[in-house]
Amino acid sequence: MSFLRLAICVAGVYSMFLLWAIAQERLSVPFDTIDGKSSDKFNSPLFMNTCQSAFCVLSSFIYLRIRSPRHQSVPEVLGLAQAYPVKQASNGTAKASGHSHHAKPDHRYSLKSLLLRYLQCSVFVTSAAPFGFAALSYITYPAMVLGKSCKLVPVMFMNVLLYRRRFAPYKYVVVAMVTLGITMFMGFGAEKPGKSKHGSGADVGSLPMSKQLIGIGYLLINLAIDGATNSTQDEIFARYKVSGQQMMFWINLICTLLTSLMCVLPLPYIPVLHPGESGTTELHGALDFIRTHTEIVKALLQYSLTGSLGQLFIFETLQHFGSLTLVTVTLTRKMFTMLLSVVLYNHKLTPGQWLGTSVVFAGISVEAWVKRKDVHAKRVLQEKEKAKIKSL
């Protein structure tokens, strides 16, 4: 059952984000005006993120409402009516019913602390994307992809640093193998980091090293924030009785509120976070663009809808398999897409890419072998316990 759930989640992530990537690429190129006399690029990333997060709120609520029993109230459906653990006093023992005189509520598990964790994740998500966009002004997209291939490392590092979480030794081996394999796959490709395929983006050959270091710095900040986001989500699942879709609802609701506020405020020029003209609102510019470039509506809807459906699978994976498995799935998506193109369109991979693919599959095989061994050991233990019960 666990393997089937993971297979469904992987298929959902791959398919939805393949369509999402197509829509994202369409949004990055110029759109023709209604009269066809000119074409312009859509430069409102906050508005795009607001649309997607709003769709995520709607899709997660519909999913939760359908999957929940009819008698449940809305607070129960959204995970606001959970029974949280209580902290035992040093001179007494808390009973299961929670009526002991010595049992005190543990504020680390309160509803307020849960909502603060959601707020923390939302701030991380909202602030990570601008650093990624800013990095592309100084480094090429292939270089960005190559850097992103190491995302497993900051996720594991932040889990250890922020929440003192420890992993089994084989996990470190798997992370190292997958990171090395994907880095080899991207680095040994026909298009090298530092060369732009389409001539767009930053021309790193003409930029001084100091500028390129700025781009690398932005990329490292983006990776660190992503790692903090994933590790905080792991901590929420470890401490609270919430589902992936409940977390998806609240994080995206807060993200929608934050980005909507930033869209309507006439913010001054802020490097990275608000690089537009001082005193202008992003919402006004986005709506004006949509009125004069109606073709963008279809791309925006595809971007928001596929992103929200993809997040349903992402949070399902996060809840049941953890952030390391999730990041492995999202990182290998591009590699498997390219492998599919090899089969369907007879594209060629370099020897280095085939070697990188082998390393990734070896790492995934180690993970599968250890988990299969653990499941077998648990089954043997359960059979022994059943035999003891029968003998009694």
Side-chain angles (χ1 to χ4, degrees), residues 303-317:
Y303 175 83
S304 303
L305 181 60
T306 54
S308 64
L309 294 177
Q311 280 203 32
L312 287 174
F313 292 105
I314 277 183
F315 279 92
E316 186 75 10
T317 308

Side-chain angles (χ1 to χ4, degrees), residues 127-172:
S127 57
F131 283 98
F133 288 128
L136 286 174
S137 299
Y138 303 96
I139 60 176
T140 60
Y141 185 75
M144 168 76 85
V145 172
L146 187 59
K148 285 282 191 178
S149 68
C150 302
K151 187 179 175 181
L152 276 168
V153 176
V155 169
M156 178 171 274
F157 178 75
M158 287 298 181
N159 265 293
V160 174
L161 179 68
L162 297 179
Y163 302 109
R164 303 294 186 266
R165 191 170 286 115
R166 294 292 181 263
F167 298 96
Y170 82 90
K171 281 282 188 183
Y172 296 94

Side-chain angles (χ1 to χ4, degrees), residues 20 48 53 97 186 317:
W20 178 85
M48 286 169 52
S53 59
S97 62
M186 300 301 176
T317 308

Side-chain angles (χ1 to χ4, degrees), residues 2 20 24 44 53 84 136 161 208 239 243 252-253 275 291 356:
S2 178
W20 178 85
Q24 185 186 43
S44 301
S53 59
Y84 298 101
L136 286 174
L161 179 68
R239 287 195 176 205
S243 70
N252 280 284
L253 178 63
R291 277 194 292 268

Side-chain angles (χ1 to χ4, degrees), residues 258-274:
L258 289 175
T259 54
S260 296
L261 184 63
M262 294 173 70
C263 279
V264 299
L265 289 178
L267 297 175
Y269 171 79
I270 305 173
V272 179
L273 297 179
H274 190 261

Side-chain angles (χ1 to χ4, degrees), residues 9-119:
C9 289
V10 170
V13 170
Y14 281 11
S15 58
M16 288 299 105
F17 280 99
L18 177 62
L19 296 173
W20 178 85
I22 293 172
Q24 185 186 43
E25 185 176 357
R26 178 66 188 94
L27 287 167
S28 67
V29 299
F31 288 86
D32 292 332
T33 55
I34 297 176
D35 56 16
K37 294 182 178 179
S38 63
S39 59
D40 308 286
K41 289 187 70 174
F42 186 62
N43 294 314
S44 301
L46 275 177
F47 182 82
M48 286 169 52
N49 292 338
T50 304
C51 291
Q52 179 175 281
S53 59
F55 268 73
C56 288
V57 172
L58 183 61
S59 62
S60 58
F61 182 78
I62 292 173
Y63 179 91
L64 288 168
R65 188 72 268 186
I66 292 174
R67 292 291 301 272
S68 301
R70 291 186 178 182
H71 66 271
Q72 280 194 344
S73 63
V74 172
E76 289 175 324
V77 170
L78 299 180
L80 298 182
Q82 302 292 342
Y84 298 101
V86 292
K87 180 169 61 178
Q88 296 180 10
S90 58
N91 60 341
T93 303
K95 297 179 181 178
S97 62
H99 295 300
S100 170
H101 292 295
H102 304 294
K104 303 190 283 189
D106 191 341
H107 295 293
R108 294 176 305 166
Y109 300 94
S110 65
L111 179 60
K112 179 181 177 182
S113 68
L114 173 60
L115 293 176
L116 285 175
R117 290 289 188 191
Y118 286 149
L119 175 62

